[in-house]
Amino acid sequence: MIIPRRVCQIGPRRVILSGIQPTGIPHLGNYLGALSNWVKLQKSAEPEDKLLFSIVGWHALTLPQEPAALLAARNDMLAVLLAIGIDPNRSILFHQDHNPHHTELSWILSCITPMGKLRRMTTWKVRSSKCSINSVLMFLKSRLAVARNSGSEDEVDESMLNAGLFMYPVLQAADVLVYKATHVPVGDDQQQHIELTRDLADIFNRTFKGTSPLFPLPTYVNTPSKRILSLKDPTSKMSKSSPDVQSRILLTDIASQIQSKIRAAVTDSIQGITYDPQGRPGTSNLLTILAACTDSDVTQVAKAYESQGHGTLKRDVAEAVEEFLKGPRAQFDRIRHETSYLDEVARRGATRAIEHSEVTMMEVKTRLGLASPVVH
């Protein structure tokens, strides 16, 4: 039985939690999306707000992983978060798999989760009905962290999918509820998972009543982010799963690599520069990148280039991306080799996380009849 070392009262303050899978070095789209929003949240949070940012290693196991590569990816992701400005003194930064309360609560929640709710999850439907054999084999070969979906009619049946892919939304709910998180900043594709988390919190609260509900119903926070598209196929998002390395810019890319990739980016033969995501996706993607890296309005950026050509635009985009990435890149190159520092950050983050989650788990077990009430 885990006895709480100290009680962390959660009052009217916000408890903000988000997580990211250890998928290796992030690309520009990752950085301009979730990661930059985490830094903004840290800067704008009130002093009494609690922020928890987690590297979710257990979620990564739903897809095939090579152990040495996963270990390196976990360390690299921690170094990335530190390099871009996540302050481990202000925020609780930790590896999910360093806190066993996540999986413990996940099992408890799985025992009250209706099967029908999980079968209706969009991610399960997509993986079980549209993931082609070729894309699975491609993933296994390249050890990618995210399987590609394809429109092939050659489908994979459910026997080729593991139970983790079916159950991971429950683990995701446990990630949130174990800290009694009140606000969860995630992308649009995760909104259904937050709705499931709210449902499970409500089911638990109504099934195992106390003097007050145990779990708050977390609020989905739609964080605005730039949709950065592939440099080679501007009809799809920039992704590490693309076999073409020229399609993405990584945090670790140096200036010459950035210039080469931007010069080779797909645009069009139309004269002048205009922002038209539907009619001119490649050109518009470059304008979006330039606006995001310079913190400018994309329509104003487009107006400044309306009489220019793609050569000028690509030159300026490459320079802006290099200026935007060079600071975090230098920090990452330094931090990733400081293994003692990374281990200490991870250890302190896990300790702080467990101090909070063990209080929740004692309350959960008491309501379930797995522990005696703590007498104060």
Side-chain angles (χ1 to χ4, degrees), residues 181-215:
T182 61
H183 294 76
V184 185
V186 290
D188 291 338
D189 60 335
Q190 296 294 309
Q191 184 171 1
Q192 189 184 34
H193 292 168
I194 304 306
E195 292 170 357
L196 176 67
T197 301
R198 290 171 59 89
D199 288 345
L200 296 183
D202 181 58
I203 291 171
F204 187 97
N205 290 340
R206 287 186 291 103
T207 304
F208 305 102
K209 294 183 175 66
T211 55
S212 62
L214 177 57
F215 294 119

PDB file of all heavy atoms in Angstrom, residues 181-215:
ATOM      1  N   ALA A 181      -6.221  16.439 -13.345  1.00  0.00           N
ATOM      2  CA  ALA A 181      -6.018  17.563 -14.267  1.00  0.00           C
ATOM      3  C   ALA A 181      -7.351  18.209 -14.609  1.00  0.00           C
ATOM      4  O   ALA A 181      -8.356  17.531 -14.803  1.00  0.00           O
ATOM      5  CB  ALA A 181      -5.317  17.084 -15.538  1.00  0.00           C
ATOM      6  N   THR A 182      -7.332  19.517 -14.679  1.00  0.00           N
ATOM      7  CA  THR A 182      -8.553  20.270 -15.008  1.00  0.00           C
ATOM      8  C   THR A 182      -8.558  20.761 -16.449  1.00  0.00           C
ATOM      9  O   THR A 182      -9.623  21.027 -17.005  1.00  0.00           O
ATOM     10  CB  THR A 182      -8.698  21.483 -14.076  1.00  0.00           C
ATOM     11  OG1 THR A 182      -7.549  22.352 -14.251  1.00  0.00           O
ATOM     12  CG2 THR A 182      -8.789  21.047 -12.616  1.00  0.00           C
ATOM     13  N   HIS A 183      -7.375  20.895 -17.048  1.00  0.00           N
ATOM     14  CA  HIS A 183      -7.268  21.399 -18.407  1.00  0.00           C
ATOM     15  C   HIS A 183      -6.250  20.565 -19.177  1.00  0.00           C
ATOM     16  O   HIS A 183      -5.139  20.328 -18.682  1.00  0.00           O
ATOM     17  CB  HIS A 183      -6.846  22.872 -18.420  1.00  0.00           C
ATOM     18  CG  HIS A 183      -7.872  23.794 -17.825  1.00  0.00           C
ATOM     19  ND1 HIS A 183      -8.068  23.904 -16.460  1.00  0.00           N
ATOM     20  CD2 HIS A 183      -8.770  24.632 -18.414  1.00  0.00           C
ATOM     21  CE1 HIS A 183      -9.030  24.768 -16.229  1.00  0.00           C
ATOM     22  NE2 HIS A 183      -9.474  25.221 -17.393  1.00  0.00           N
ATOM     23  N   VAL A 184      -6.629  20.146 -20.388  1.00  0.00           N
ATOM     24  CA  VAL A 184      -5.763  19.290 -21.201  1.00  0.00           C
ATOM     25  C   VAL A 184      -5.623  19.906 -22.594  1.00  0.00           C
ATOM     26  O   VAL A 184      -6.544  19.838 -23.407  1.00  0.00           O
ATOM     27  CB  VAL A 184      -6.327  17.858 -21.315  1.00  0.00           C
ATOM     28  CG1 VAL A 184      -5.347  16.965 -22.054  1.00  0.00           C
ATOM     29  CG2 VAL A 184      -6.646  17.291 -19.937  1.00  0.00           C
ATOM     30  N   PRO A 185      -4.475  20.537 -22.882  1.00  0.00           N
ATOM     31  CA  PRO A 185      -4.261  21.112 -24.219  1.00  0.00           C
ATOM     32  C   PRO A 185      -3.821  20.035 -25.206  1.00  0.00           C
ATOM     33  O   PRO A 185      -2.751  19.438 -25.059  1.00  0.00           O
ATOM     34  CB  PRO A 185      -3.143  22.129 -23.970  1.00  0.00           C
ATOM     35  CG  PRO A 185      -2.407  21.604 -22.778  1.00  0.00           C
ATOM     36  CD  PRO A 185      -3.400  20.845 -21.947  1.00  0.00           C
ATOM     37  N   VAL A 186      -4.661  19.750 -26.183  1.00  0.00           N
ATOM     38  CA  VAL A 186      -4.354  18.742 -27.200  1.00  0.00           C
ATOM     39  C   VAL A 186      -4.900  19.213 -28.541  1.00  0.00           C
ATOM     40  O   VAL A 186      -5.678  20.165 -28.617  1.00  0.00           O
ATOM     41  CB  VAL A 186      -4.973  17.363 -26.854  1.00  0.00           C
ATOM     42  CG1 VAL A 186      -4.275  16.742 -25.658  1.00  0.00           C
ATOM     43  CG2 VAL A 186      -6.464  17.487 -26.598  1.00  0.00           C
ATOM     44  N   GLY A 187      -4.526  18.521 -29.590  1.00  0.00           N
ATOM     45  CA  GLY A 187      -5.014  18.849 -30.921  1.00  0.00           C
ATOM     46  C   GLY A 187      -6.436  18.358 -31.143  1.00  0.00           C
ATOM     47  O   GLY A 187      -7.001  17.609 -30.333  1.00  0.00           O
ATOM     48  N   ASP A 188      -7.008  18.771 -32.265  1.00  0.00           N
ATOM     49  CA  ASP A 188      -8.388  18.393 -32.597  1.00  0.00           C
ATOM     50  C   ASP A 188      -8.577  16.883 -32.633  1.00  0.00           C
ATOM     51  O   ASP A 188      -9.636  16.371 -32.277  1.00  0.00           O
ATOM     52  CB  ASP A 188      -8.797  18.982 -33.958  1.00  0.00           C
ATOM     53  CG  ASP A 188      -8.933  20.497 -33.902  1.00  0.00           C
ATOM     54  OD1 ASP A 188      -9.131  21.030 -32.790  1.00  0.00           O
ATOM     55  OD2 ASP A 188      -8.837  21.142 -34.966  1.00  0.00           O
ATOM     56  N   ASP A 189      -7.533  16.154 -33.075  1.00  0.00           N
ATOM     57  CA  ASP A 189      -7.662  14.712 -33.225  1.00  0.00           C
ATOM     58  C   ASP A 189      -7.746  13.989 -31.888  1.00  0.00           C
ATOM     59  O   ASP A 189      -8.056  12.791 -31.849  1.00  0.00           O
ATOM     60  CB  ASP A 189      -6.496  14.155 -34.044  1.00  0.00           C
ATOM     61  CG  ASP A 189      -5.140  14.427 -33.397  1.00  0.00           C
ATOM     62  OD1 ASP A 189      -5.031  15.392 -32.617  1.00  0.00           O
ATOM     63  OD2 ASP A 189      -4.190  13.665 -33.673  1.00  0.00           O
ATOM     64  N   GLN A 190      -7.475  14.700 -30.792  1.00  0.00           N
ATOM     65  CA  GLN A 190      -7.525  14.084 -29.471  1.00  0.00           C
ATOM     66  C   GLN A 190      -8.780  14.469 -28.676  1.00  0.00           C
ATOM     67  O   GLN A 190      -8.951  14.031 -27.542  1.00  0.00           O
ATOM     68  CB  GLN A 190      -6.286  14.482 -28.666  1.00  0.00           C
ATOM     69  CG  GLN A 190      -4.987  13.969 -29.244  1.00  0.00           C
ATOM     70  CD  GLN A 190      -4.894  12.455 -29.201  1.00  0.00           C
ATOM     71  OE1 GLN A 190      -5.108  11.837 -28.174  1.00  0.00           O
ATOM     72  NE2 GLN A 190      -4.578  11.844 -30.337  1.00  0.00           N
ATOM     73  N   GLN A 191      -9.641  15.279 -29.272  1.00  0.00           N
ATOM     74  CA  GLN A 191     -10.803  15.746 -28.530  1.00  0.00           C
ATOM     75  C   GLN A 191     -11.703  14.591 -28.086  1.00  0.00           C
ATOM     76  O   GLN A 191     -12.243  14.590 -26.967  1.00  0.00           O
ATOM     77  CB  GLN A 191     -11.615  16.733 -29.380  1.00  0.00           C
ATOM     78  CG  GLN A 191     -12.803  17.335 -28.619  1.00  0.00           C
ATOM     79  CD  GLN A 191     -13.468  18.461 -29.387  1.00  0.00           C
ATOM     80  OE1 GLN A 191     -13.067  18.794 -30.514  1.00  0.00           O
ATOM     81  NE2 GLN A 191     -14.486  19.051 -28.803  1.00  0.00           N
ATOM     82  N   GLN A 192     -11.856  13.577 -28.934  1.00  0.00           N
ATOM     83  CA  GLN A 192     -12.689  12.428 -28.586  1.00  0.00           C
ATOM     84  C   GLN A 192     -12.125  11.704 -27.366  1.00  0.00           C
ATOM     85  O   GLN A 192     -12.878  11.185 -26.529  1.00  0.00           O
ATOM     86  CB  GLN A 192     -12.793  11.469 -29.771  1.00  0.00           C
ATOM     87  CG  GLN A 192     -13.816  10.356 -29.565  1.00  0.00           C
ATOM     88  CD  GLN A 192     -13.835   9.365 -30.723  1.00  0.00           C
ATOM     89  OE1 GLN A 192     -12.802   9.089 -31.322  1.00  0.00           O
ATOM     90  NE2 GLN A 192     -15.003   8.835 -31.034  1.00  0.00           N
ATOM     91  N   HIS A 193     -10.807  11.679 -27.223  1.00  0.00           N
ATOM     92  CA  HIS A 193     -10.192  11.025 -26.073  1.00  0.00           C
ATOM     93  C   HIS A 193     -10.477  11.796 -24.787  1.00  0.00           C
ATOM     94  O   HIS A 193     -10.660  11.190 -23.723  1.00  0.00           O
ATOM     95  CB  HIS A 193      -8.690  10.903 -26.283  1.00  0.00           C
ATOM     96  CG  HIS A 193      -8.325   9.946 -27.377  1.00  0.00           C
ATOM     97  ND1 HIS A 193      -7.062   9.867 -27.903  1.00  0.00           N
ATOM     98  CD2 HIS A 193      -9.062   9.032 -28.050  1.00  0.00           C
ATOM     99  CE1 HIS A 193      -7.029   8.942 -28.851  1.00  0.00           C
ATOM    100  NE2 HIS A 193      -8.238   8.429 -28.953  1.00  0.00           N
ATOM    101  N   ILE A 194     -10.510  13.116 -24.874  1.00  0.00           N
ATOM    102  CA  ILE A 194     -10.841  13.912 -23.687  1.00  0.00           C
ATOM    103  C   ILE A 194     -12.301  13.703 -23.307  1.00  0.00           C
ATOM    104  O   ILE A 194     -12.643  13.647 -22.121  1.00  0.00           O
ATOM    105  CB  ILE A 194     -10.543  15.398 -23.934  1.00  0.00           C
ATOM    106  CG1 ILE A 194      -9.081  15.581 -24.339  1.00  0.00           C
ATOM    107  CG2 ILE A 194     -10.858  16.225 -22.682  1.00  0.00           C
ATOM    108  CD1 ILE A 194      -8.089  14.972 -23.369  1.00  0.00           C
ATOM    109  N   GLU A 195     -13.162  13.543 -24.291  1.00  0.00           N
ATOM    110  CA  GLU A 195     -14.567  13.253 -23.997  1.00  0.00           C
ATOM    111  C   GLU A 195     -14.704  11.915 -23.286  1.00  0.00           C
ATOM    112  O   GLU A 195     -15.494  11.773 -22.341  1.00  0.00           O
ATOM    113  CB  GLU A 195     -15.385  13.269 -25.293  1.00  0.00           C
ATOM    114  CG  GLU A 195     -15.503  14.655 -25.921  1.00  0.00           C
ATOM    115  CD  GLU A 195     -16.105  14.624 -27.308  1.00  0.00           C
ATOM    116  OE1 GLU A 195     -16.376  13.502 -27.813  1.00  0.00           O
ATOM    117  OE2 GLU A 195     -16.293  15.692 -27.903  1.00  0.00           O
ATOM    118  N   LEU A 196     -13.914  10.914 -23.711  1.00  0.00           N
ATOM    119  CA  LEU A 196     -13.922   9.625 -23.024  1.00  0.00           C
ATOM    120  C   LEU A 196     -13.416   9.786 -21.591  1.00  0.00           C
ATOM    121  O   LEU A 196     -13.965   9.188 -20.652  1.00  0.00           O
ATOM    122  CB  LEU A 196     -13.052   8.612 -23.765  1.00  0.00           C
ATOM    123  CG  LEU A 196     -12.907   7.246 -23.079  1.00  0.00           C
ATOM    124  CD1 LEU A 196     -14.247   6.514 -23.059  1.00  0.00           C
ATOM    125  CD2 LEU A 196     -11.834   6.395 -23.754  1.00  0.00           C
ATOM    126  N   THR A 197     -12.376  10.582 -21.403  1.00  0.00           N
ATOM    127  CA  THR A 197     -11.835  10.824 -20.061  1.00  0.00           C
ATOM    128  C   THR A 197     -12.905  11.425 -19.157  1.00  0.00           C
ATOM    129  O   THR A 197     -13.063  11.016 -17.996  1.00  0.00           O
ATOM    130  CB  THR A 197     -10.621  11.769 -20.146  1.00  0.00           C
ATOM    131  OG1 THR A 197      -9.618  11.171 -20.973  1.00  0.00           O
ATOM    132  CG2 THR A 197     -10.045  12.045 -18.766  1.00  0.00           C
ATOM    133  N   ARG A 198     -13.650  12.380 -19.671  1.00  0.00           N
ATOM    134  CA  ARG A 198     -14.738  12.990 -18.891  1.00  0.00           C
ATOM    135  C   ARG A 198     -15.808  11.954 -18.550  1.00  0.00           C
ATOM    136  O   ARG A 198     -16.325  11.915 -17.428  1.00  0.00           O
ATOM    137  CB  ARG A 198     -15.353  14.153 -19.677  1.00  0.00           C
ATOM    138  CG  ARG A 198     -14.441  15.376 -19.802  1.00  0.00           C
ATOM    139  CD  ARG A 198     -15.017  16.407 -20.765  1.00  0.00           C
ATOM    140  NE  ARG A 198     -16.338  16.871 -20.332  1.00  0.00           N
ATOM    141  CZ  ARG A 198     -16.539  17.893 -19.516  1.00  0.00           C
ATOM    142  NH1 ARG A 198     -15.511  18.577 -19.038  1.00  0.00           N
ATOM    143  NH2 ARG A 198     -17.761  18.264 -19.185  1.00  0.00           N
ATOM    144  N   ASP A 199     -16.121  11.101 -19.527  1.00  0.00           N
ATOM    145  CA  ASP A 199     -17.124  10.056 -19.291  1.00  0.00           C
ATOM    146  C   ASP A 199     -16.680   9.111 -18.176  1.00  0.00           C
ATOM    147  O   ASP A 199     -17.466   8.754 -17.293  1.00  0.00           O
ATOM    148  CB  ASP A 199     -17.375   9.257 -20.572  1.00  0.00           C
ATOM    149  CG  ASP A 199     -18.148  10.043 -21.619  1.00  0.00           C
ATOM    150  OD1 ASP A 199     -18.735  11.087 -21.264  1.00  0.00           O
ATOM    151  OD2 ASP A 199     -18.156   9.615 -22.790  1.00  0.00           O
ATOM    152  N   LEU A 200     -15.397   8.702 -18.224  1.00  0.00           N
ATOM    153  CA  LEU A 200     -14.906   7.754 -17.224  1.00  0.00           C
ATOM    154  C   LEU A 200     -14.830   8.403 -15.843  1.00  0.00           C
ATOM    155  O   LEU A 200     -15.108   7.753 -14.824  1.00  0.00           O
ATOM    156  CB  LEU A 200     -13.540   7.208 -17.636  1.00  0.00           C
ATOM    157  CG  LEU A 200     -13.521   6.378 -18.923  1.00  0.00           C
ATOM    158  CD1 LEU A 200     -12.127   5.826 -19.183  1.00  0.00           C
ATOM    159  CD2 LEU A 200     -14.538   5.250 -18.869  1.00  0.00           C
ATOM    160  N   ALA A 201     -14.453   9.669 -15.803  1.00  0.00           N
ATOM    161  CA  ALA A 201     -14.438  10.388 -14.523  1.00  0.00           C
ATOM    162  C   ALA A 201     -15.840  10.446 -13.933  1.00  0.00           C
ATOM    163  O   ALA A 201     -16.043  10.219 -12.735  1.00  0.00           O
ATOM    164  CB  ALA A 201     -13.876  11.799 -14.722  1.00  0.00           C
ATOM    165  N   ASP A 202     -16.814  10.710 -14.794  1.00  0.00           N
ATOM    166  CA  ASP A 202     -18.207  10.804 -14.326  1.00  0.00           C
ATOM    167  C   ASP A 202     -18.721   9.441 -13.866  1.00  0.00           C
ATOM    168  O   ASP A 202     -19.403   9.345 -12.836  1.00  0.00           O
ATOM    169  CB  ASP A 202     -19.080  11.357 -15.457  1.00  0.00           C
ATOM    170  CG  ASP A 202     -20.529  11.519 -15.044  1.00  0.00           C
ATOM    171  OD1 ASP A 202     -20.790  12.251 -14.067  1.00  0.00           O
ATOM    172  OD2 ASP A 202     -21.397  10.898 -15.683  1.00  0.00           O
ATOM    173  N   ILE A 203     -18.387   8.376 -14.618  1.00  0.00           N
ATOM    174  CA  ILE A 203     -18.816   7.030 -14.228  1.00  0.00           C
ATOM    175  C   ILE A 203     -18.238   6.674 -12.856  1.00  0.00           C
ATOM    176  O   ILE A 203     -18.933   6.155 -11.981  1.00  0.00           O
ATOM    177  CB  ILE A 203     -18.391   5.991 -15.283  1.00  0.00           C
ATOM    178  CG1 ILE A 203     -19.191   6.185 -16.579  1.00  0.00           C
ATOM    179  CG2 ILE A 203     -18.586   4.567 -14.756  1.00  0.00           C
ATOM    180  CD1 ILE A 203     -18.682   5.337 -17.737  1.00  0.00           C
ATOM    181  N   PHE A 204     -16.951   6.950 -12.669  1.00  0.00           N
ATOM    182  CA  PHE A 204     -16.314   6.640 -11.376  1.00  0.00           C
ATOM    183  C   PHE A 204     -16.965   7.451 -10.261  1.00  0.00           C
ATOM    184  O   PHE A 204     -17.289   6.895  -9.191  1.00  0.00           O
ATOM    185  CB  PHE A 204     -14.817   6.928 -11.435  1.00  0.00           C
ATOM    186  CG  PHE A 204     -14.082   6.467 -10.205  1.00  0.00           C
ATOM    187  CD1 PHE A 204     -13.428   5.241 -10.196  1.00  0.00           C
ATOM    188  CD2 PHE A 204     -14.052   7.232  -9.046  1.00  0.00           C
ATOM    189  CE1 PHE A 204     -12.767   4.792  -9.058  1.00  0.00           C
ATOM    190  CE2 PHE A 204     -13.388   6.801  -7.903  1.00  0.00           C
ATOM    191  CZ  PHE A 204     -12.752   5.570  -7.913  1.00  0.00           C
ATOM    192  N   ASN A 205     -17.155   8.728 -10.486  1.00  0.00           N
ATOM    193  CA  ASN A 205     -17.733   9.589  -9.448  1.00  0.00           C
ATOM    194  C   ASN A 205     -19.129   9.127  -9.039  1.00  0.00           C
ATOM    195  O   ASN A 205     -19.490   9.177  -7.854  1.00  0.00           O
ATOM    196  CB  ASN A 205     -17.798  11.042  -9.935  1.00  0.00           C
ATOM    197  CG  ASN A 205     -16.423  11.691 -10.055  1.00  0.00           C
ATOM    198  OD1 ASN A 205     -15.457  11.233  -9.445  1.00  0.00           O
ATOM    199  ND2 ASN A 205     -16.341  12.754 -10.832  1.00  0.00           N
ATOM    200  N   ARG A 206     -19.927   8.672 -10.026  1.00  0.00           N
ATOM    201  CA  ARG A 206     -21.299   8.243  -9.714  1.00  0.00           C
ATOM    202  C   ARG A 206     -21.335   6.840  -9.125  1.00  0.00           C
ATOM    203  O   ARG A 206     -22.218   6.527  -8.321  1.00  0.00           O
ATOM    204  CB  ARG A 206     -22.149   8.305 -10.992  1.00  0.00           C
ATOM    205  CG  ARG A 206     -22.491   9.724 -11.421  1.00  0.00           C
ATOM    206  CD  ARG A 206     -23.457   9.775 -12.597  1.00  0.00           C
ATOM    207  NE  ARG A 206     -22.865   9.306 -13.836  1.00  0.00           N
ATOM    208  CZ  ARG A 206     -23.075   8.136 -14.397  1.00  0.00           C
ATOM    209  NH1 ARG A 206     -23.866   7.242 -13.814  1.00  0.00           N
ATOM    210  NH2 ARG A 206     -22.488   7.818 -15.550  1.00  0.00           N
ATOM    211  N   THR A 207     -20.368   6.001  -9.511  1.00  0.00           N
ATOM    212  CA  THR A 207     -20.346   4.618  -9.031  1.00  0.00           C
ATOM    213  C   THR A 207     -19.763   4.514  -7.623  1.00  0.00           C
ATOM    214  O   THR A 207     -20.258   3.758  -6.787  1.00  0.00           O
ATOM    215  CB  THR A 207     -19.529   3.730  -9.992  1.00  0.00           C
ATOM    216  OG1 THR A 207     -20.068   3.849 -11.316  1.00  0.00           O
ATOM    217  CG2 THR A 207     -19.580   2.270  -9.556  1.00  0.00           C
ATOM    218  N   PHE A 208     -18.720   5.263  -7.380  1.00  0.00           N
ATOM    219  CA  PHE A 208     -18.025   5.208  -6.089  1.00  0.00           C
ATOM    220  C   PHE A 208     -18.121   6.577  -5.420  1.00  0.00           C
ATOM    221  O   PHE A 208     -17.197   7.380  -5.465  1.00  0.00           O
ATOM    222  CB  PHE A 208     -16.570   4.782  -6.291  1.00  0.00           C
ATOM    223  CG  PHE A 208     -16.426   3.492  -7.035  1.00  0.00           C
ATOM    224  CD1 PHE A 208     -16.087   3.476  -8.384  1.00  0.00           C
ATOM    225  CD2 PHE A 208     -16.662   2.280  -6.401  1.00  0.00           C
ATOM    226  CE1 PHE A 208     -15.970   2.284  -9.079  1.00  0.00           C
ATOM    227  CE2 PHE A 208     -16.545   1.071  -7.092  1.00  0.00           C
ATOM    228  CZ  PHE A 208     -16.211   1.079  -8.432  1.00  0.00           C
ATOM    229  N   LYS A 209     -19.253   6.809  -4.816  1.00  0.00           N
ATOM    230  CA  LYS A 209     -19.560   8.132  -4.268  1.00  0.00           C
ATOM    231  C   LYS A 209     -18.806   8.384  -2.967  1.00  0.00           C
ATOM    232  O   LYS A 209     -18.498   7.480  -2.196  1.00  0.00           O
ATOM    233  CB  LYS A 209     -21.062   8.258  -4.018  1.00  0.00           C
ATOM    234  CG  LYS A 209     -21.927   8.244  -5.272  1.00  0.00           C
ATOM    235  CD  LYS A 209     -23.382   8.456  -4.917  1.00  0.00           C
ATOM    236  CE  LYS A 209     -24.257   8.577  -6.164  1.00  0.00           C
ATOM    237  NZ  LYS A 209     -24.303   7.320  -6.924  1.00  0.00           N
ATOM    238  N   GLY A 210     -18.523   9.642  -2.734  1.00  0.00           N
ATOM    239  CA  GLY A 210     -17.949  10.095  -1.484  1.00  0.00           C
ATOM    240  C   GLY A 210     -18.652  11.369  -1.070  1.00  0.00           C
ATOM    241  O   GLY A 210     -19.744  11.681  -1.556  1.00  0.00           O
ATOM    242  N   THR A 211     -18.029  12.112  -0.187  1.00  0.00           N
ATOM    243  CA  THR A 211     -18.639  13.384   0.223  1.00  0.00           C
ATOM    244  C   THR A 211     -18.635  14.393  -0.921  1.00  0.00           C
ATOM    245  O   THR A 211     -19.429  15.333  -0.925  1.00  0.00           O
ATOM    246  CB  THR A 211     -17.873  13.966   1.418  1.00  0.00           C
ATOM    247  OG1 THR A 211     -16.479  14.092   1.068  1.00  0.00           O
ATOM    248  CG2 THR A 211     -18.009  13.071   2.649  1.00  0.00           C
ATOM    249  N   SER A 212     -17.764  14.193  -1.883  1.00  0.00           N
ATOM    250  CA  SER A 212     -17.703  15.040  -3.073  1.00  0.00           C
ATOM    251  C   SER A 212     -17.128  14.206  -4.210  1.00  0.00           C
ATOM    252  O   SER A 212     -16.475  13.185  -3.973  1.00  0.00           O
ATOM    253  CB  SER A 212     -16.833  16.277  -2.829  1.00  0.00           C
ATOM    254  OG  SER A 212     -15.496  15.901  -2.537  1.00  0.00           O
ATOM    255  N   PRO A 213     -17.361  14.590  -5.470  1.00  0.00           N
ATOM    256  CA  PRO A 213     -16.792  13.843  -6.590  1.00  0.00           C
ATOM    257  C   PRO A 213     -15.268  13.787  -6.487  1.00  0.00           C
ATOM    258  O   PRO A 213     -14.621  14.790  -6.153  1.00  0.00           O
ATOM    259  CB  PRO A 213     -17.246  14.637  -7.820  1.00  0.00           C
ATOM    260  CG  PRO A 213     -18.455  15.384  -7.373  1.00  0.00           C
ATOM    261  CD  PRO A 213     -18.208  15.713  -5.934  1.00  0.00           C
ATOM    262  N   LEU A 214     -14.697  12.639  -6.787  1.00  0.00           N
ATOM    263  CA  LEU A 214     -13.244  12.493  -6.681  1.00  0.00           C
ATOM    264  C   LEU A 214     -12.524  13.177  -7.836  1.00  0.00           C
ATOM    265  O   LEU A 214     -11.538  13.895  -7.639  1.00  0.00           O
ATOM    266  CB  LEU A 214     -12.876  11.007  -6.640  1.00  0.00           C
ATOM    267  CG  LEU A 214     -11.377  10.678  -6.607  1.00  0.00           C
ATOM    268  CD1 LEU A 214     -10.710  11.344  -5.412  1.00  0.00           C
ATOM    269  CD2 LEU A 214     -11.158   9.169  -6.565  1.00  0.00           C
ATOM    270  N   PHE A 215     -13.020  12.951  -9.055  1.00  0.00           N
ATOM    271  CA  PHE A 215     -12.326  13.473 -10.225  1.00  0.00           C
ATOM    272  C   PHE A 215     -13.039  14.696 -10.793  1.00  0.00           C
ATOM    273  O   PHE A 215     -14.264  14.667 -10.982  1.00  0.00           O
ATOM    274  CB  PHE A 215     -12.248  12.416 -11.331  1.00  0.00           C
ATOM    275  CG  PHE A 215     -11.398  11.225 -10.986  1.00  0.00           C
ATOM    276  CD1 PHE A 215     -11.954   9.947 -10.948  1.00  0.00           C
ATOM    277  CD2 PHE A 215     -10.050  11.371 -10.710  1.00  0.00           C
ATOM    278  CE1 PHE A 215     -11.177   8.843 -10.641  1.00  0.00           C
ATOM    279  CE2 PHE A 215      -9.263  10.266 -10.407  1.00  0.00           C
ATOM    280  CZ  PHE A 215      -9.830   9.004 -10.359  1.00  0.00           C
TER     281      PHE A 215
END
